Amino acid sequence: MQLAATGLLTSMAALYVVLGFWVSAAPWLAYVRAFAEAATVGACADWFAVTALFRRPLGLPIPHTAVIPRNKDRIGEALGAFIADNFLTVDVLEARLRQLELGRWGAGWLRQRKNATLVAERFVKLAPELLAFSTPETRRRFVGTIASDVIAAVPAAPLAAGMLRAVWRDERRDALLDAGLDLIARALEQNEALIRAEVAGRTYRWLPRWVDQKIADAVLKGLVQTIAEMREPGHLWRERVSTYVDGFIARLETDPVLAAKADGIKRQMTSHAILADRLGDVGNALEAWLRPTTEDQAKALTERLAGWLSGLGGWLYEQDEAIAIFNDWARLALQRSVAPRRRQIGRMIAGVVASWEVGSVVEKLELQVGADLQYIRINGTIVGGLVGLAIFTLSRLWRLG
């Protein structure tokens, strides 16, 4: 584009000079020469203006030239302030982030197997390097501290209510009831001798042993029969259990006394030394798992992680409630992390611009807007020529009149 604009300037100047030899023979060429003359002037003026933005024209120390190099730092400060004030405020972030479905977009991207595999591959390569930055004891304390802080920060009752409500719904309810009945049936079968001994120990001592056995048999038979009857979909006790669990979930969400008890249990759990030890053991096991020693182990780990990530993305994509929660979390996290630090971000942008070399700044800006600036030169050549032609024509007409 520089070549085209400069070539047009040169052509107009050459045309002006050449027509000076022929204009006496053909007076109408005076109009063409006037166009070329004015076009040359317009081209030179716009060349000077465009060049003065980035450097000194012809290297001459003309005032108010090399505008960008002389004001590089001030431009960086203005750019940083502009971004901070117009893009990173709470209101702007709130409005923009509400339009973005970050959760659904992320879930849709992650559920594609190739994307999940890409994330898994990079994680498997990066994990050993990250683990090498700290000692095992430091990581153990870190995992325990983070887990304890997270558990302590989350209210126990709403979390438990949400988890119960997620699993205790529709067809899952019947499946959980049946699983519970299976568990009780197996416990009765495996502990039959213990139950008989407990029944015998709680009857009158003067009763014969065979009577104790009869009572124990009746208790066991009644329990087994009750469990079998509860497997029927319309059984009264199934409805009672469902009603009780629904009420318990509602109480977890609304009852402050029950919420206080839940938080008390949580504090006991988080303050117990066993929890810290178990979390440390989990961290050690996870660390060993994340350090594959062979290529086959790394490949297997990548495949497993990719499967989990893809499945997580597919599940999350279909969960409107989870997507809404994730969007709220992401919005709040960005607002609380970006908006309060917008001035620091603006100063960082200014610092980056200030650290650039003058030649680098000029090159970056010329590559971005250089083509448009050369079009300005071309337009200036044409417009200048047309204006000069119009002035020349009007002056001729005025003299003729």
Side-chain angles (χ1 to χ4, degrees):
M1 291 306 303
Q2 275 186 335
L3 208 58
T6 303
L8 186 59
L9 185 158
T10 305
S11 299
M12 291 296 103
L15 183 62
Y16 170 73
V17 173
V18 170
L19 290 180
F21 298 103
W22 295 345
V23 69
S24 59
W28 63 271
L29 288 177
Y31 292 91
V32 180
R33 190 167 186 259
F35 175 88
E37 180 182 12
T40 302
V41 173
C44 288
D46 282 344
W47 166 82
F48 181 89
V50 170
T51 302
L53 286 174
F54 301 103
R55 55 186 63 85
R56 295 187 183 278
L58 302 177
L60 300 175
I62 302 173
H64 305 293
T65 57
V67 175
I68 291 175
R70 288 192 301 106
N71 296 277
K72 174 174 68 72
D73 294 348
R74 189 160 59 89
I75 292 172
E77 294 174 0
L79 178 63
F82 177 79
I83 292 175
D85 293 335
N86 294 277
F87 292 92
L88 302 180
T89 62
V90 174
D91 293 337
V92 172
L93 289 173
E94 173 74 15
R96 182 58 180 165
L97 292 173
R98 283 196 178 279
Q99 297 175 0
L100 299 177
E101 282 280 342
L102 293 177
R104 197 171 302 279
W105 174 84
W109 184 86
L110 191 60
R111 70 174 179 171
Q112 299 182 34
R113 183 70 183 201
K114 62 178 183 179
N115 296 330
T117 302
L118 178 64
V119 174
E121 287 176 348
R122 294 188 177 180
F123 180 79
V124 170
K125 291 180 180 179
L126 188 61
E129 298 179 10
L130 294 176
L131 293 173
F133 284 123
S134 60
T135 63
E137 183 58 31
T138 302
R139 292 192 294 272
R140 186 184 181 93
R141 290 198 307 269
F142 176 76
V143 171
T145 302
I146 292 297
S148 298
D149 290 345
V150 170
I151 294 172
V154 177
L159 177 62
M163 295 174 62
L164 284 174
R165 193 176 294 281
V167 300
W168 190 258
R169 59 167 63 177
D170 303 331
E171 68 279 357
R172 298 179 184 175
R173 176 178 313 202
D174 292 330
L176 286 173
L177 278 172
D178 292 335
L181 293 174
D182 291 338
L183 182 63
I184 295 173
R186 285 197 299 271
L188 290 175
E189 182 180 354
Q190 295 172 0
N191 297 280
E192 182 177 343
L194 178 61
I195 294 172
R196 291 182 182 277
E198 286 292 325
V199 172
R202 295 178 183 275
T203 58
Y204 295 106
R205 295 185 177 180
W206 48 268
L207 286 175
R209 182 174 294 275
W210 63 271
V211 175
D212 292 340
Q213 294 296 325
K214 287 289 186 181
I215 295 174
D217 290 340
V219 171
L220 286 170
K221 183 178 179 181
L223 290 173
V224 171
Q225 184 176 355
T226 300
I227 291 171
E229 292 174 354
M230 286 184 67
R231 295 183 184 279
E232 296 296 328
H235 195 273
L236 177 62
W237 282 23
R238 290 178 74 94
E239 296 297 330
R240 289 182 177 177
V241 171
S242 297
T243 302
Y244 174 80
V245 175
D246 290 336
F248 182 71
I249 293 174
R251 287 178 58 206
L252 279 173
E253 294 176 331
T254 59
D255 189 350
V257 176
L258 189 58
K261 290 182 179 179
D263 284 330
I265 295 173
K266 183 189 70 176
R267 284 192 295 271
Q268 291 179 1
M269 293 174 59
T270 54
S271 62
H272 205 287
I274 294 179
L275 177 63
D277 292 338
R278 292 295 176 266
L279 289 174
D281 293 340
V282 171
N284 292 338
L286 181 62
E287 178 182 339
W289 186 61
L290 293 176
R291 287 181 179 273
T293 56
T294 65
E295 186 175 345
D296 290 339
Q297 290 180 353
K299 185 176 181 180
L301 177 59
T302 300
E303 289 295 323
R304 182 173 295 182
L305 284 175
W308 288 349
L309 292 172
S310 178
L312 175 63
W315 172 84
L316 184 60
Y317 191 83
E318 303 296 334
Q319 303 295 318
D320 293 337
E321 293 182 4
I323 288 291
I325 293 173
F326 185 88
N327 288 339
D328 290 340
W329 284 355
R331 190 179 74 254
L332 291 174
L334 287 174
Q335 285 179 345
R336 293 174 180 176
S337 61
V338 174
R341 296 171 177 82
R342 59 193 181 97
R343 295 299 176 192
Q344 292 94 316
I345 295 173
R347 287 195 292 270
M348 181 196 71
I349 295 173
V352 171
V353 175
S355 67
W356 289 344
E357 295 181 357
V358 173
S360 176
V361 174
V362 170
E363 181 182 2
K364 290 178 187 293
L365 290 176
E366 278 193 306
L367 288 175
Q368 292 298 319
V369 300
D372 292 327
L373 293 177
Q374 302 310 314
Y375 274 118
I376 290 176
R377 291 179 57 191
I378 293 172
N379 292 336
T381 303
I382 297 172
V383 171
L386 292 174
V387 171
L389 177 61
I391 294 174
F392 180 79
T393 303
L394 290 174
S395 65
R396 283 291 181 93
L397 292 174
W398 181 76
R399 280 203 305 270
L400 289 175

